[in-house]
Amino acid sequence: MEATQQTPHIVMVPTPGMGHLIPSIELAKKLILYNNISITYLISNDGSSLEPQKEALQALPKSINAIFLPPVSFDDLPEGTKIETRIVLTLIRSLPSLREAFKDLKERSNITAMVADLFATEAFEVAQEFGVLPFLFYTSAALDLSSMFYLPKLDETYSGEYIDLPEPLKLPGCIPFQARDLVDTLHDRQNEAYKWLLHAVKRYRMADGIILNSFTGLEPGACKALNEDWPGFPPVYPVGPLIRTISSREDEDGSECLKWLNQQPRGSVLFISFGSGGTLSHEQLLELAYGLEMSGQRFLWAVRSPHDLASSGAFFTVKSAENPFYFLPDGFIERTKDLGLVVSSWVPQIKILNHSSTGGFLTHCGWNSTLESVVHGIPLIAWPLFAEQRQNAVLLSEDLKVAVRVQANEKVVGREQIAGYVKGLIEGDEGKMLRKRMEDLKEAAAMAMEKDGSSTRLLAEIAQILSNNRTI
């Protein structure tokens, strides 16, 4: 343990999944720059491999440590239990071991605060038990956090399914959006996952503050409203964009992608990736391949094996070891070899987005990928699949106007439609307008993280609050 008894020590409590751990790590790396803070992660274990988490945490400075808690059992849960339910239960069932680890740390170090993930609000009771500040880290957009603030009232005032609401939702400072674009978990109020999410959201008020991975230059209206128009909720600190930096793995891997990009004209390549958890049906995968071929545009595609029952392969659901190339159209690789590169392994996304040849990104609109696109100024084709991605797509396409959204009115988006989106983004007039607006956001993101930028100032303020175990 690097910390002394006097060094302010912060405990970070993430929940399973790299999508939430990655921005949490970036937050930790920022916080240790202030006030000689040290940090320990308490990692709950759902029983799946923790190698990705261990790899990410082992590469951190010595003042950031991790304790991996014993795995919990899900033998009593029925098959098909929603991801959100399992995430929350992982933390709840880890509470005894988390409490013991916290107690041990408290005896050996000066713990001043706990920062818990948005699904880890049960851990607040441990923070209060040991007299330290409970903070929440919200890893998505201000628009998404606004909908969570509104959820308890919506639950009380509307008895039906939200997808049947006749009017758009109009939240303070946010663009109006249809209820069908709410996070997946809210589409079935009878499911246990809905009840667990509502339970977690009601506990947000227990936090002394909420750290938000967005920034005022990206969502000015929503960020302002979160602190002015939601009485009873804790103050919100937009400190983003917190995104991955280039890792040692990116220096070692991905050379094939980068060598290929080096040979392409500036701004000519569409990067296609649905993230580590996004999956398409086999039929949709075929249509995407044919659409890319029809477009005649250059592309770099990180392809995954299809799955016909789930759009989310993240966490606990889809585990396919099959070669995704097997599912592509016959002859596709050969026919497109002069235009495209298809890879089935991990790709260095940050380096790809930062490459001068990359002119667009077809994305599932996960918030990490969204912020990475903003930081690097890459316009988007928004193809949301699950979680809060439809809300992100609304923000990107209708509010910020840096993306064209795929209109999936039918079960499968056709190849002609896909070809139109791709061609329009890379060489069309609409693509030029999207690119210009994204360049403006890129500049705003850089300003937020400058020495006197809005996010930097708030990070310094949060570090002081967490170090002193008191609100300012």
Side-chain angles (χ1 to χ4, degrees):
M1 184 66 62
E2 294 292 319
T4 67
Q5 189 68 28
Q6 289 73 40
T7 302
H9 198 99
I10 300 168
V11 170
M12 306 284 278
V13 184
T15 47
M18 289 298 292
H20 287 205
L21 181 61
I22 288 168
S24 174
I25 285 173
E26 296 306 318
L27 173 64
K29 285 158 64 176
K30 297 284 186 185
L31 290 175
I32 62 172
L33 299 176
Y34 305 94
N35 294 8
N36 192 30
I37 293 170
S38 62
I39 292 172
T40 296
Y41 278 88
L42 297 183
I43 309 289
S44 55
N45 184 350
D46 62 275
S48 58
S49 172
L50 292 175
E51 286 309 309
Q53 289 91 332
K54 290 179 179 178
E55 181 182 344
L57 291 162
Q58 285 169 355
L60 295 177
K62 292 182 178 180
S63 55
I64 304 176
N65 297 277
I67 296 172
F68 291 86
L69 304 177
V72 299
S73 172
F74 288 139
D75 291 345
D76 59 316
L77 295 187
E79 188 175 347
T81 298
K82 293 281 189 180
I83 289 172
E84 294 85 356
T85 297
R86 296 178 68 127
I87 292 173
V88 174
L89 287 178
T90 299
L91 192 283
I92 290 175
R93 295 181 179 188
S94 296
L95 279 176
S97 55
L98 187 147
R99 182 175 281 105
E100 283 302 310
F102 199 99
K103 179 182 178 182
D104 182 59
L105 277 173
K106 192 79 165 67
E107 291 172 352
R108 296 186 289 115
S109 62
N110 177 30
I111 298 180
T112 55
M114 171 191 287
V115 179
D117 179 79
L118 60 96
F119 286 115
T121 54
E122 296 290 334
F124 285 162
E125 293 178 3
V126 177
Q128 292 177 338
E129 178 182 332
F130 287 93
V132 305
L133 282 183
F135 259 64
L136 185 80
F137 181 40
Y138 203 86
T139 52
S140 192
L143 172 62
D144 185 43
L145 180 57
S146 299
S147 67
M148 293 300 102
F149 278 11
Y150 184 56
L151 178 58
K153 181 178 179 181
L154 186 60
D155 181 76
E156 290 175 4
T157 57
Y158 188 73
S159 59
E161 292 294 346
Y162 301 142
I163 199 168
D164 297 324
L165 284 166
E167 299 294 329
L169 294 172
K170 298 177 181 178
L171 306 180
C174 301
I175 188 168
F177 64 96
Q178 299 294 332
R180 63 174 176 268
D181 289 321
L182 282 166
V183 60
D184 278 358
T185 317
L186 305 186
H187 288 191
D188 180 4
R189 298 178 69 180
Q190 303 309 310
N191 194 284
E192 283 294 315
Y194 172 84
K195 297 169 185 176
W196 279 120
L197 180 59
L198 178 64
H199 171 77
V201 169
K202 287 181 177 179
R203 296 168 66 87
Y204 286 6
R205 293 172 184 264
M206 295 172 64
D208 278 63
I210 298 176
I211 304 168
L212 176 68
N213 192 16
S214 187
F215 59 101
T216 53
L218 185 68
E219 301 180 89
C223 287
K224 184 172 185 288
L226 284 168
N227 282 312
E228 295 181 359
D229 299 321
W230 296 98
F233 283 95
V236 176
Y237 302 85
V239 300
L242 299 171
I243 67 165
R244 292 173 294 183
T245 52
I246 294 174
S247 66
S248 58
R249 183 178 181 183
E250 290 198 309
D251 290 330
E252 298 166 2
D253 299 343
S255 57
E256 179 190 9
C257 298
L258 300 174
K259 286 178 182 177
W260 183 84
L261 280 172
N262 289 341
Q263 298 169 5
Q264 310 309 316
R266 183 180 183 87
S268 66
V269 177
L270 177 72
F271 174 48
I272 304 110
S273 173
F274 292 96
S276 59
T279 54
L280 302 176
S281 69
H282 188 203
E283 185 179 3
Q284 185 62 82
L285 187 76
L286 291 174
E287 289 300 309
L288 176 54
Y290 285 125
L292 292 172
E293 186 176 352
M294 287 178 63
S295 75
Q297 304 302 307
R298 290 175 172 83
F299 63 88
L300 171 55
W301 184 6
V303 68
R304 287 173 56 88
S305 298
H307 195 281
D308 290 331
L309 297 178
S311 60
S312 168
F315 301 114
F316 317 97
T317 51
V318 182
K319 300 187 186 302
S320 174
E322 293 186 80
N323 182 354
F325 285 19
Y326 171 81
F327 300 97
L328 294 173
D330 289 341
F332 173 76
I333 300 290
E334 179 64 24
R335 292 195 305 272
T336 60
K337 65 181 181 180
D338 294 331
L339 280 179
L341 177 66
V342 184
V343 293
S344 62
S345 59
W346 177 90
V347 295
Q349 181 163 302
I350 296 294
K351 284 192 171 184
I352 291 170
L353 293 174
N354 193 39
H355 200 285
S356 62
S357 294
T358 303
F361 183 13
L362 192 161
T363 173
H364 62 314
C365 302
W367 193 241
N368 290 334
S369 289
T370 295
L371 290 180
E372 289 165 10
S373 305
V374 168
V375 167
H376 295 97
I378 302 298
L380 306 169
I381 298 173
W383 193 326
L385 297 178
F386 59 93
E388 88 293 359
Q389 294 164 12
R390 283 184 296 273
Q391 275 184 317
N392 295 343
V394 171
L395 175 67
L396 293 164
S397 62
E398 298 179 28
D399 190 0
L400 300 174
K401 300 187 187 304
V402 294
V404 56
R405 182 175 179 179
V406 171
Q407 297 302 317
N409 297 323
E410 303 297 331
K411 185 177 180 181
V412 174
V413 183
R415 63 191 72 177
E416 295 87 357
Q417 195 176 349
I418 292 168
Y421 291 134
V422 174
K423 194 168 184 178
L425 182 68
I426 297 299
E427 63 175 30
D429 290 338
E430 183 178 17
K432 293 176 183 176
M433 290 188 291
L434 298 177
R435 191 166 291 106
K436 173 63 173 67
R437 284 192 283 267
M438 191 60 106
E439 283 291 334
D440 292 341
L441 285 185
K442 176 182 178 179
E443 184 177 341
M447 289 177 60
M449 301 305 289
E450 287 179 355
K451 185 177 180 180
D452 295 322
S454 60
S455 295
T456 301
R457 293 197 307 270
L458 287 175
L459 279 164
E461 182 179 339
I462 291 167
Q464 183 178 352
I465 293 170
L466 299 179
S467 300
N468 295 331
N469 192 18
R470 63 178 178 82
T471 54
I472 293 178

